[in-house]
Amino acid sequence: MTSQTRTAITTGDGVRIVYRFDGDENKPVLLLSNSIGTDLHMWDGQVSALTEHFRLLRYDARGHGASDVPSGPYSLDRLGRDVVELLDALGLQRVHVLGLSLGGIVAQWLGIHVPERVDRLVLSNTAAYLGPANQWDRPIAELLEASDMQVTAERFLHNWFPARMLQGDDEVVEGFRRTLLATQREGVAGSWAAVRDYDLRRTATLIHNPTLVIAGEHDTVTSADHGKELAATVPGARFTVLPTVHMANVEAQAEFVDAVVAFLTEQS
């Protein structure tokens, strides 16, 4: 039986978080966590292949998509607890977790703070630290002063995809552009604050769930070196580099899915 439901929970601090299931209820659950400026549709291209093996749980992080957009800075602790509250509400004790970019930071938090809720971790195009913190203050202020998301959207797209995908009218890129332009500035600024304030370089050593780190060879947001450093920090983590920029799941879809499925289904 395949379920394709989309509904919401309300967190302890009163924020509505929208989520969706795809796939057979009898398969292991794989939670997907998104980057800043995207919603649960950032995984649309991978749903068909991943549901062959997993029941997918996707959600719009606070400040994004159809979820609520509280104003003010967000914290990594709050973003992580949103996921824990989602799992609690759904009665899910233990899931695989795949996070990309900020989603990968949230996934690290889960491995550090609630390892008993996580089976295996895939940390894609992410880092344990993206400091120094003060580099984020001006972009946050400028975004909140801007009249819309136009400038930030183009900057994100330039950092996410290779030039060949940005030339012309690539349907996938256009989808991400529409999502960015529809995202409220407060959601991006609040999430940037979480990135500004986090540092997991020491605590990531506490992750003992089986972990795969995926990096993009040409990623300028979270570099391949960031990925290599993270993999060296997490005990026993595996490391793989794909020939991509930041959105490895989109740019190298087949290779990305193959790496994720092979790791998550491997017999221990």
Side-chain angles (χ1 to χ4, degrees):
M1 180 179 178
T2 297
S3 60
Q4 294 181 323
T5 58
R6 182 165 176 164
T7 184
I9 66 158
T10 300
T11 63
D13 65 337
V15 173
R16 185 172 172 271
I17 301 291
V18 167
Y19 68 91
R20 170 183 176 141
F21 277 116
D22 292 276
D24 189 329
E25 294 178 8
N26 297 312
K27 286 184 165 62
V29 175
L30 170 58
L31 173 88
L32 303 178
S33 189
N34 315 335
S35 73
I36 291 177
T38 70
D39 59 17
L40 56 78
H41 293 293
M42 73 164 275
W43 305 100
D44 280 356
Q46 295 79 63
V47 168
S48 178
L50 289 175
T51 50
E52 292 182 19
H53 306 274
F54 309 104
R55 186 185 193 202
L56 300 184
L57 173 56
R58 295 183 281 166
Y59 72 101
D60 289 341
R62 66 172 56 211
H64 292 79
S67 292
D68 287 346
V69 187
S71 59
Y74 306 163
S75 69
L76 176 56
D77 183 65
R78 182 64 257 181
L79 297 177
R81 284 188 289 129
D82 287 346
V83 175
V84 175
E85 290 189 43
L86 176 61
L87 296 179
D88 286 347
L90 297 174
L92 296 171
Q93 292 305 308
R94 194 173 175 90
V95 298
H96 294 308
V97 178
L98 162 57
L100 187 146
S101 196
L102 177 57
I105 297 170
V106 172
Q108 292 172 62
W109 186 96
L110 295 170
I112 292 164
H113 293 278
V114 288
E116 71 280 1
R117 309 303 294 273
V118 178
D119 191 346
R120 296 188 181 200
L121 278 173
V122 180
L123 309 174
S124 181
N125 301 82
T126 192
Y129 175 68
L130 283 171
N134 61 10
Q135 70 177 311
W136 301 99
D137 291 332
R138 176 175 285 184
I140 289 171
E142 289 177 347
L143 175 58
L144 291 174
E145 292 168 1
S147 59
D148 56 34
M149 277 284 292
Q150 190 74 45
V151 172
T152 297
E154 294 309 315
R155 182 184 304 141
F156 275 30
L157 293 171
H158 177 77
N159 288 333
W160 287 353
F161 298 110
R164 61 178 172 76
M165 291 184 69
L166 296 172
Q167 294 162 357
D169 299 315
D170 187 289
E171 280 187 24
V172 173
V173 172
E174 286 305 309
F176 278 89
R177 178 178 280 114
R178 286 191 296 271
T179 299
L180 280 163
L181 294 176
T183 302
Q184 295 186 45
R185 290 168 297 146
E186 292 81 5
V188 173
S191 302
W192 261 344
V195 173
R196 175 193 65 197
D197 297 337
Y198 95 106
D199 184 351
L200 302 180
R201 286 175 294 181
R202 292 181 61 158
T203 49
T205 60
L206 300 174
I207 297 174
H208 289 288
N209 306 85
T211 300
L212 170 66
V213 177
I214 298 174
E217 181 182 358
H218 310 294
D219 193 340
T220 59
V221 181
T222 53
S223 69
D225 283 342
H226 282 122
K228 187 175 183 180
E229 289 162 7
L230 176 58
T233 302
V234 176
R238 298 186 194 176
F239 179 58
T240 189
V241 180
L242 297 180
T244 68
V245 187
H246 193 55
M247 289 291 184
N249 64 309
V250 176
E251 188 183 345
Q253 183 169 288
E255 297 93 329
F256 183 90
V257 168
D258 285 350
V260 168
V261 170
F263 177 72
L264 295 181
T265 61
E266 181 182 82
Q267 297 299 311
S268 56

